[in-house]
Amino acid sequence: MDHLPNMRLTTQRQIILEELAKVTSHPTANEVYDMVRRRLPRIGLGTVYRNLELMADSGVILKIEVGGTQKRFDATIYPHYHIRCSACGKVDDIDIPVQLHINEAATAASSYEILGHHIEFSGVCQACQKKDKESAVN
Amino acid sequence: MDHLPNMRLTTQRQIILEELAKVTSHPTANEVYDMVRRRLPRIGLGTVYRNLELMADSGVILKIEVGGTQKRFDATIYPHYHIRCSACGKVDDIDIPVQLHINEAATAASSYEILGHHIEFSGVCQACQKKDKESAVN
DNA sequence: GAAAAACTGATAAGCTTTATTAATTGGCAT
DNA sequence: ATGCCAATTAATAAAGCTTATCAGTTTTTC
């Protein structure tokens, strides 16, 4: 949120961003760490955490805090919603129109100063639907 | 989600539910633990976690997984949305109409089997708005 | 009333995230 | 180019939240 005074463009930062931009899954910090480590084997996990957090604060990437215990990150920063598989925990984008009007409804209904909203759908992904059918046969 | 074979109504379970029903905040497991411990000083934290999880699975209470790292619980189980203060992390209910239509939109837009959705607003609560103004004077 | 099942409390273990610190690096002004 | 200094890094420890384990207890069932 704040101004970022002298944010250096380090190798680590560049590669973290590049790797995150490669995928459309919404990796956790640890998953990003695994991806980046293939190119920078000596990078520390703390560096990945720190930079993901910094980049999210500066708006370069998106931090997604949905169901489940872990934070996830996304290089796609335009407003969009997510769906999370209740079976395997996978998170995908879901392409429905952004519901601008509900922020106004929220402003009217609450004493908070509204900053925004996020919608998270829950469902069962195709892979897990298949698994369910198979195990139902037993 | 599953059938719950012989779920006993233990003292611990009753008191956890009673204490949760007393508040409209959305306490974390640890906060529930603190509340319950005033009446059952020897209860274990694991028991609180286990029972909150069980009751959420059986639909008696609601498990809320919003921004922030901790799970929160709510004795109010009718569908409603939440707002989270980005400054202090407090979670409140927000009373706007449930957006039934977006589940259909999601079904059309995705290969997932849609189970439901949740909307989380982010904002600044009144207490934190005051604090902001005070510190802005400095 | 005995056997089976569910549950508890205590504790340990697991996993994610944050903090600490000495060493290194990138950017800027000489 | 060179040197300086703040920002950054890697490594590690520490912290925080949640889940697993298990012996002992309570409840149910027959």
Side-chain angles (χ1 to χ4, degrees):
Chain A
M1 297 308 182
D2 266 38
H3 59 92
L4 309 167
N6 308 347
M7 184 138 143
R8 290 188 192 159
L9 191 57
T10 62
T11 312
Q12 289 85 343
R13 225 158 257 175
Q14 267 180 272
I15 294 187
I16 289 171
L17 188 54
E18 282 174 24
E19 291 300 314
L20 185 60
K22 276 187 191 168
V23 297
T24 59
S25 65
H26 302 69
T28 62
N30 203 70
E31 287 165 353
V32 174
Y33 176 55
D34 284 341
M35 287 154 49
V36 171
R37 215 161 23 152
R38 292 200 286 268
R39 293 172 61 187
L40 282 179
R42 302 196 52 77
I43 197 172
L45 177 57
T47 302
V48 174
Y49 269 98
R50 184 170 2 93
N51 282 315
L52 286 173
E53 209 65 40
L54 273 175
M55 291 195 283
D57 281 350
S58 70
V60 180
I61 65 172
L62 217 64
K63 175 165 59 170
I64 308 167
E65 306 185 49
V66 296
T69 347
Q70 296 168 72
K71 295 175 183 176
R72 292 170 174 277
F73 297 87
D74 189 348
T76 305
I77 57 171
Y78 67 80
H80 64 283
Y81 300 135
H82 295 106
I83 182 163
R84 179 165 181 278
C85 178
S86 59
C88 69
K90 184 169 74 143
V91 175
D92 274 318
D93 291 337
I94 194 158
D95 187 23
I96 69 168
V98 172
Q99 310 284 308
L100 294 168
H101 62 279
I102 63 175
N103 280 356
E104 293 162 33
T107 299
S110 151
S111 63
Y112 279 61
E113 178 195 342
I114 305 292
L115 297 174
H117 73 266
H118 180 250
I119 305 184
E120 181 196 339
F121 292 89
S122 69
V124 183
C125 75
Q126 280 197 311
C128 288
Q129 285 178 42
K130 267 186 198 164
K131 280 181 206 152
D132 282 354
K133 278 180 195 164
E134 281 165 17
S135 65
V137 178
N138 303 346
Chain B
M1 297 308 180
D2 266 37
H3 58 91
L4 309 167
N6 308 349
M7 183 139 142
R8 293 186 190 160
L9 191 57
T10 63
T11 311
Q12 288 84 345
R13 226 158 256 173
Q14 266 179 272
I15 294 187
I16 289 170
L17 188 55
E18 282 174 23
E19 290 300 314
L20 185 60
K22 275 188 192 166
V23 297
T24 59
S25 64
H26 300 70
T28 63
N30 202 70
E31 287 165 352
V32 174
Y33 176 55
D34 285 339
M35 288 154 49
V36 170
R37 218 165 17 155
R38 292 200 286 268
R39 292 173 60 187
L40 281 180
R42 301 197 53 75
I43 196 171
L45 177 58
T47 302
V48 174
Y49 268 99
R50 187 173 355 98
N51 283 316
L52 286 172
E53 209 64 42
L54 274 174
M55 292 195 282
D57 281 350
S58 70
V60 180
I61 65 172
L62 217 64
K63 174 165 60 171
I64 307 166
E65 306 185 49
V66 295
T69 347
Q70 297 170 70
K71 297 177 183 175
R72 292 171 173 277
F73 297 87
D74 189 348
T76 305
I77 57 172
Y78 67 81
H80 64 284
Y81 301 135
H82 295 105
I83 182 161
R84 179 168 180 276
C85 178
S86 60
C88 69
K90 185 169 73 141
V91 175
D92 274 317
D93 291 337
I94 194 161
D95 187 24
I96 69 167
V98 172
Q99 311 283 308
L100 294 168
H101 61 280
I102 65 175
N103 280 356
E104 292 162 32
T107 300
S110 152
S111 62
Y112 280 61
E113 178 195 341
I114 306 291
L115 297 174
H117 74 266
H118 180 247
I119 305 184
E120 181 195 339
F121 292 89
S122 69
V124 183
C125 74
Q126 280 197 311
C128 288
Q129 285 178 42
K130 269 188 198 164
K131 280 181 207 154
D132 282 357
K133 276 179 196 163
E134 282 165 18
S135 66
V137 178
N138 304 346

